[in-house]
Amino acid sequence: MTGPLVRWLAWISPKTRGMLLNKAFSLMSVVGHTFHFSTSRLASLRASVQGYLSSDVRLSDNDILTALLSMVIAQSQAECKRDSASASYLSSLASYLFPSMYAPDSSFVTQVVIDTRPRLKGLSAAKYTGNSVLTRCLVNSMESLTSGITEQSLAPIAKGVRQLVNGVDSQYIGEYVDTLHKDLLRFMCPATYAFTKTTMLLSNQSRLSTYQADFGNGIPTWVSSVRAFFPNFSSIMPAPPSTGGYVVYISMAERAMTKLLQNEFWMGTNDMLY
Protein backbone atom coordinates (compact mmCIF):
# COMPACT_ATOMS: atom_id res chain seq x y z
CA MET A 1 0.00 0.00 0.00
CA THR A 2 1.11 3.57 -0.69
CA GLY A 3 0.48 6.21 1.96
CA PRO A 4 -0.87 9.74 1.53
CA LEU A 5 2.60 11.32 1.38
CA VAL A 6 3.72 8.95 -1.39
CA ARG A 7 0.57 9.62 -3.43
CA TRP A 8 0.78 13.37 -2.98
CA LEU A 9 4.47 13.54 -4.00
CA ALA A 10 3.72 11.37 -7.03
CA TRP A 11 0.74 13.57 -7.97
CA ILE A 12 2.48 16.97 -7.94
CA SER A 13 4.63 18.13 -10.86
CA PRO A 14 8.27 16.97 -11.09
CA LYS A 15 9.43 20.60 -10.77
CA THR A 16 7.45 21.18 -7.56
CA ARG A 17 8.46 17.79 -6.17
CA GLY A 18 12.15 18.49 -6.83
CA MET A 19 11.90 21.93 -5.21
CA LEU A 20 10.25 20.52 -2.08
CA LEU A 21 12.70 17.64 -1.70
CA ASN A 22 15.69 19.93 -2.25
CA LYS A 23 14.34 22.28 0.42
CA ALA A 24 13.85 19.38 2.84
CA PHE A 25 17.38 18.15 2.19
CA SER A 26 18.81 21.66 2.70
CA LEU A 27 17.35 21.74 6.23
CA MET A 28 19.42 18.69 7.13
CA SER A 29 22.85 20.33 6.69
CA VAL A 30 24.04 17.61 4.31
CA VAL A 31 27.77 17.23 3.65
CA GLY A 32 29.59 14.91 1.25
CA HIS A 33 32.99 13.22 1.23
CA THR A 34 34.78 11.02 -1.29
CA PHE A 35 36.95 8.02 -0.39
CA HIS A 36 39.32 5.85 -2.43
CA PHE A 37 39.50 2.08 -1.96
CA SER A 38 42.63 0.61 -3.51
CA THR A 39 42.46 -2.73 -5.29
CA SER A 40 44.94 -4.33 -2.88
CA ARG A 41 43.24 -3.09 0.31
CA LEU A 42 39.82 -4.23 -0.82
CA ALA A 43 41.14 -7.61 -1.97
CA SER A 44 42.72 -8.13 1.44
CA LEU A 45 39.50 -7.19 3.23
CA ARG A 46 37.42 -9.44 0.97
CA ALA A 47 39.73 -12.40 1.59
CA SER A 48 39.50 -11.89 5.36
CA VAL A 49 35.70 -11.66 5.30
CA GLN A 50 35.46 -14.65 2.95
CA GLY A 51 37.24 -16.74 5.57
CA TYR A 52 34.19 -16.57 7.83
CA LEU A 53 31.84 -18.00 5.18
CA SER A 54 31.41 -21.40 3.59
CA SER A 55 33.24 -22.10 0.34
CA ASP A 56 30.02 -22.07 -1.71
CA VAL A 57 29.57 -18.32 -1.05
CA ARG A 58 31.84 -16.19 -3.23
CA LEU A 59 31.81 -12.51 -2.40
CA SER A 60 32.33 -9.68 -4.87
CA ASP A 61 33.81 -6.23 -4.29
CA ASN A 62 30.26 -4.86 -4.39
CA ASP A 63 29.19 -7.24 -1.60
CA ILE A 64 32.02 -6.06 0.64
CA LEU A 65 31.55 -2.35 -0.07
CA THR A 66 27.77 -2.52 0.37
CA ALA A 67 28.09 -4.38 3.68
CA LEU A 68 30.77 -1.99 4.94
CA LEU A 69 28.76 1.09 3.94
CA SER A 70 25.63 -0.32 5.57
CA MET A 71 27.45 -0.90 8.83
CA VAL A 72 29.32 2.40 9.07
CA ILE A 73 26.32 4.52 8.06
CA ALA A 74 23.99 2.62 10.42
CA GLN A 75 26.45 3.07 13.27
CA SER A 76 26.90 6.77 12.53
CA GLN A 77 23.15 7.36 12.52
CA ALA A 78 22.63 5.31 15.67
CA GLU A 79 25.29 7.30 17.54
CA CYS A 80 23.62 10.57 16.51
CA LYS A 81 20.27 9.36 17.78
CA ARG A 82 21.78 8.35 21.10
CA ASP A 83 23.31 11.81 21.41
CA SER A 84 19.85 13.29 20.85
CA ALA A 85 18.41 11.59 23.95
CA SER A 86 18.69 14.88 25.88
CA ALA A 87 17.44 16.93 22.95
CA SER A 88 16.63 20.61 23.05
CA TYR A 89 13.26 21.94 21.87
CA LEU A 90 14.70 22.56 18.41
CA SER A 91 16.09 19.03 18.22
CA SER A 92 12.74 17.63 19.37
CA LEU A 93 11.02 19.50 16.55
CA ALA A 94 13.59 18.16 14.06
CA SER A 95 13.02 14.61 15.31
CA TYR A 96 9.30 15.03 14.66
CA LEU A 97 9.84 16.41 11.15
CA PHE A 98 12.63 14.00 10.16
CA PRO A 99 12.13 10.76 12.14
CA SER A 100 14.68 8.85 10.04
CA MET A 101 17.43 11.07 11.45
CA TYR A 102 16.43 10.88 15.14
CA ALA A 103 13.90 8.19 16.03
CA PRO A 104 15.34 4.85 17.18
CA ASP A 105 14.74 1.97 14.80
CA SER A 106 15.16 -1.77 15.30
CA SER A 107 16.21 -2.30 11.68
CA PHE A 108 18.30 -0.64 8.99
CA VAL A 109 17.34 -0.71 5.33
CA THR A 110 19.90 -0.58 2.54
CA GLN A 111 18.15 0.39 -0.68
CA VAL A 112 20.30 -1.14 -3.43
CA VAL A 113 19.87 0.25 -6.94
CA ILE A 114 20.24 -2.65 -9.40
CA ASP A 115 20.73 -2.36 -13.15
CA THR A 116 18.26 -4.68 -14.91
CA ARG A 117 20.01 -4.82 -18.28
CA PRO A 118 22.67 -7.45 -17.43
CA ARG A 119 19.84 -9.69 -16.21
CA LEU A 120 17.68 -9.52 -19.33
CA LYS A 121 18.19 -11.57 -22.46
CA GLY A 122 19.75 -9.56 -25.26
CA LEU A 123 20.81 -6.67 -23.02
CA SER A 124 23.57 -8.26 -20.96
CA ALA A 125 26.31 -6.39 -22.84
CA ALA A 126 24.66 -2.97 -22.46
CA LYS A 127 26.78 -0.59 -20.39
CA TYR A 128 25.08 2.74 -19.88
CA THR A 129 23.43 4.40 -16.95
CA GLY A 130 19.91 5.56 -16.16
CA ASN A 131 16.27 4.49 -16.27
CA SER A 132 16.43 0.70 -16.52
CA VAL A 133 17.03 0.11 -12.81
CA LEU A 134 15.08 -1.11 -9.81
CA THR A 135 15.56 -0.74 -6.09
CA ARG A 136 15.67 -3.75 -3.81
CA CYS A 137 15.83 -3.45 -0.03
CA LEU A 138 18.21 -5.31 2.25
CA VAL A 139 16.92 -5.28 5.84
CA ASN A 140 19.28 -5.95 8.75
CA SER A 141 18.71 -5.53 12.47
CA MET A 142 20.33 -2.44 13.94
CA GLU A 143 21.91 -4.70 16.53
CA SER A 144 23.77 -6.70 13.86
CA LEU A 145 25.08 -3.51 12.23
CA THR A 146 26.00 -1.47 15.28
CA SER A 147 27.82 -4.05 17.42
CA GLY A 148 31.17 -3.00 15.92
CA ILE A 149 32.74 -3.50 12.51
CA THR A 150 35.09 -6.45 12.14
CA GLU A 151 35.82 -8.88 9.33
CA GLN A 152 33.66 -11.42 11.16
CA SER A 153 30.67 -9.09 11.64
CA LEU A 154 30.89 -8.03 7.99
CA ALA A 155 30.60 -11.63 6.75
CA PRO A 156 26.84 -12.27 7.28
CA ILE A 157 25.97 -8.79 6.00
CA ALA A 158 28.02 -9.29 2.83
CA LYS A 159 26.43 -12.73 2.35
CA GLY A 160 23.01 -11.09 2.55
CA VAL A 161 24.03 -8.62 -0.17
CA ARG A 162 25.16 -11.49 -2.40
CA GLN A 163 21.83 -13.28 -1.94
CA LEU A 164 19.88 -10.07 -2.57
CA VAL A 165 21.65 -9.36 -5.86
CA ASN A 166 21.51 -13.00 -7.01
CA GLY A 167 17.75 -12.93 -6.46
CA VAL A 168 17.19 -10.33 -9.17
CA ASP A 169 16.54 -12.30 -12.36
CA SER A 170 14.19 -11.87 -15.32
CA GLN A 171 11.26 -13.31 -13.36
CA TYR A 172 11.81 -10.94 -10.44
CA ILE A 173 12.13 -7.97 -12.81
CA GLY A 174 8.88 -8.93 -14.53
CA GLU A 175 7.04 -9.15 -11.22
CA TYR A 176 8.53 -5.82 -10.13
CA VAL A 177 7.31 -4.09 -13.29
CA ASP A 178 3.86 -5.70 -12.98
CA THR A 179 3.57 -4.40 -9.41
CA LEU A 180 4.40 -0.86 -10.52
CA HIS A 181 1.88 -1.04 -13.35
CA LYS A 182 -0.86 -1.96 -10.90
CA ASP A 183 -0.17 1.22 -8.92
CA LEU A 184 1.95 3.75 -10.81
CA LEU A 185 2.27 6.01 -7.78
CA ARG A 186 4.55 3.46 -6.13
CA PHE A 187 7.57 4.95 -7.91
CA MET A 188 7.82 7.50 -5.08
CA CYS A 189 7.98 4.85 -2.34
CA PRO A 190 11.81 4.60 -2.10
CA ALA A 191 12.24 8.38 -1.79
CA THR A 192 9.62 8.85 0.92
CA TYR A 193 10.76 5.70 2.74
CA ALA A 194 13.98 7.51 3.62
CA PHE A 195 12.00 10.00 5.71
CA THR A 196 10.33 7.35 7.85
CA LYS A 197 13.02 4.70 8.37
CA THR A 198 16.72 4.51 9.09
CA THR A 199 18.01 3.81 5.62
CA MET A 200 20.70 4.26 2.98
CA LEU A 201 20.43 4.46 -0.79
CA LEU A 202 23.34 2.89 -2.68
CA SER A 203 24.15 3.08 -6.39
CA ASN A 204 27.10 1.13 -7.80
CA GLN A 205 28.18 2.42 -11.21
CA SER A 206 31.65 0.91 -11.23
CA ARG A 207 30.85 -1.48 -14.12
CA LEU A 208 30.23 1.44 -16.46
CA SER A 209 33.03 2.59 -18.79
CA THR A 210 32.95 6.15 -17.48
CA TYR A 211 36.59 6.83 -18.34
CA GLN A 212 36.00 5.88 -21.96
CA ALA A 213 33.06 8.25 -22.47
CA ASP A 214 33.89 11.04 -24.93
CA PHE A 215 31.19 13.62 -25.59
CA GLY A 216 33.38 15.65 -27.94
CA ASN A 217 35.99 17.12 -25.60
CA GLY A 218 38.05 14.02 -24.89
CA ILE A 219 37.81 11.37 -22.17
CA PRO A 220 37.46 12.55 -18.54
CA THR A 221 40.33 12.63 -16.08
CA TRP A 222 38.02 12.47 -13.03
CA VAL A 223 34.46 11.18 -12.53
CA SER A 224 32.51 11.52 -9.28
CA SER A 225 29.06 12.21 -7.87
CA VAL A 226 27.80 15.72 -7.22
CA ARG A 227 28.82 17.26 -3.90
CA ALA A 228 26.41 17.06 -0.94
CA PHE A 229 23.64 15.23 -2.78
CA PHE A 230 21.07 14.12 -0.17
CA PRO A 231 21.32 12.40 3.24
CA ASN A 232 22.34 8.75 3.51
CA PHE A 233 23.30 8.38 -0.14
CA SER A 234 26.31 6.41 -1.37
CA SER A 235 27.72 5.94 -4.84
CA ILE A 236 30.46 3.54 -5.92
CA MET A 237 32.38 4.72 -8.98
CA PRO A 238 35.45 3.39 -10.78
CA ALA A 239 38.67 5.16 -9.89
CA PRO A 240 40.79 6.62 -12.73
CA PRO A 241 42.54 3.82 -14.67
CA SER A 242 45.94 5.11 -13.59
CA THR A 243 44.93 4.66 -9.94
CA GLY A 244 42.65 1.60 -9.95
CA GLY A 245 40.19 0.54 -7.31
CA TYR A 246 36.98 2.36 -6.45
CA VAL A 247 35.86 5.85 -5.50
CA VAL A 248 33.08 5.87 -2.91
CA TYR A 249 31.03 9.01 -2.41
CA ILE A 250 28.89 9.47 0.72
CA SER A 251 26.52 12.31 1.62
CA MET A 252 25.06 12.46 5.14
CA ALA A 253 23.75 14.88 7.71
CA GLU A 254 26.71 16.79 9.11
CA ARG A 255 26.45 15.30 12.61
CA ALA A 256 26.33 11.75 11.23
CA MET A 257 29.27 12.41 8.91
CA THR A 258 31.34 13.55 11.89
CA LYS A 259 30.65 10.18 13.53
CA LEU A 260 31.58 8.32 10.33
CA LEU A 261 34.92 10.11 10.08
CA GLN A 262 35.68 9.00 13.64
CA ASN A 263 35.12 5.32 12.84
CA GLU A 264 38.55 3.72 12.97
CA PHE A 265 37.69 0.58 11.00
CA TRP A 266 36.15 2.56 8.15
CA MET A 267 38.99 5.09 7.95
CA GLY A 268 41.51 2.24 7.96
CA THR A 269 40.07 0.70 4.79
CA ASN A 270 40.41 3.71 2.49
CA ASP A 271 41.93 7.14 1.87
CA MET A 272 39.68 10.19 2.07
CA LEU A 273 40.14 12.31 -1.04
CA TYR A 274 38.01 15.33 -0.19
Side-chain angles (χ1 to χ4, degrees):
M1 295 294 291
T2 53
L5 178 60
V6 172
R7 293 186 171 276
W8 181 71
L9 285 172
W11 174 76
I12 61 179
S13 71
K15 182 177 180 180
T16 302
R17 181 167 57 245
M19 181 185 68
L20 289 173
L21 291 176
N22 285 335
K23 182 62 176 177
F25 295 150
S26 69
L27 295 174
M28 298 181 184
S29 301
V30 178
V31 296
H33 284 296
T34 302
F35 308 85
H36 175 248
F37 283 78
S38 68
T39 303
S40 58
R41 264 187 186 174
L42 191 57
S44 176
L45 178 60
R46 187 179 67 244
S48 297
V49 174
Q50 187 75 61
Y52 291 98
L53 298 171
S54 58
S55 58
D56 62 317
V57 179
R58 304 305 301 172
L59 299 176
S60 67
D61 288 347
N62 177 71
D63 301 332
I64 297 296
L65 289 172
T66 301
L68 181 56
L69 284 163
S70 296
M71 294 194 76
V72 73
I73 290 178
Q75 288 188 18
S76 300
Q77 292 187 60
E79 289 175 17
C80 284
K81 291 173 183 179
R82 284 196 293 269
D83 291 348
S84 298
S86 56
S88 63
Y89 173 78
L90 187 60
S91 296
S92 298
L93 177 61
S95 67
Y96 175 78
L97 294 174
F98 308 113
S100 68
M101 293 179 61
Y102 297 91
D105 270 322
S106 59
S107 61
F108 181 86
V109 179
T110 304
Q111 300 183 66
V112 183
V113 178
I114 299 176
D115 189 352
T116 62
R117 285 174 287 257
R119 297 163 174 84
L120 296 173
K121 185 177 181 180
L123 293 176
S124 59
K127 288 188 177 181
Y128 53 92
T129 186
N131 299 326
S132 187
V133 298
L134 58 81
T135 303
R136 195 172 190 197
C137 294
L138 177 67
V139 182
N140 287 292
S141 69
M142 286 296 288
E143 182 180 4
S144 68
L145 296 181
T146 58
S147 58
I149 307 177
T150 64
E151 288 84 353
Q152 185 173 5
S153 64
L154 275 169
I157 311 303
K159 179 181 178 180
V161 177
R162 171 67 5 222
Q163 293 171 334
L164 180 91
V165 175
N166 283 346
V168 179
D169 53 18
S170 58
Q171 180 180 347
Y172 181 89
I173 294 169
E175 293 172 352
Y176 187 95
V177 172
D178 289 342
T179 300
L180 283 179
H181 279 186
K182 291 177 182 177
D183 186 355
L184 295 178
L185 300 184
R186 286 178 179 269
F187 79 92
M188 277 304 301
C189 285
T192 53
Y193 195 82
F195 288 94
T196 59
K197 297 293 181 182
T198 309
T199 185
M200 172 188 78
L201 179 66
L202 173 66
S203 176
N204 188 338
Q205 303 174 60
S206 61
R207 63 179 288 271
L208 303 175
S209 304
T210 52
Y211 286 95
Q212 298 176 22
D214 186 347
F215 296 98
N217 295 310
I219 60 175
T221 57
W222 174 253
V223 177
S224 68
S225 296
V226 296
R227 184 173 61 88
F229 196 22
F230 60 84
N232 307 328
F233 171 78
S234 299
S235 177
I236 303 172
M237 306 285 290
S242 59
T243 304
Y246 300 90
V247 171
V248 175
Y249 168 81
I250 302 174
S251 57
M252 301 177 68
E254 187 173 6
R255 294 190 312 127
M257 182 64 80
T258 299
K259 298 293 185 182
L260 181 144
L261 297 178
Q262 294 171 351
N263 189 293
E264 293 184 4
F265 190 97
W266 166 262
M267 298 304 291
T269 62
N270 62 78
D271 297 303
M272 190 173 81
L273 301 178
Y274 58 85

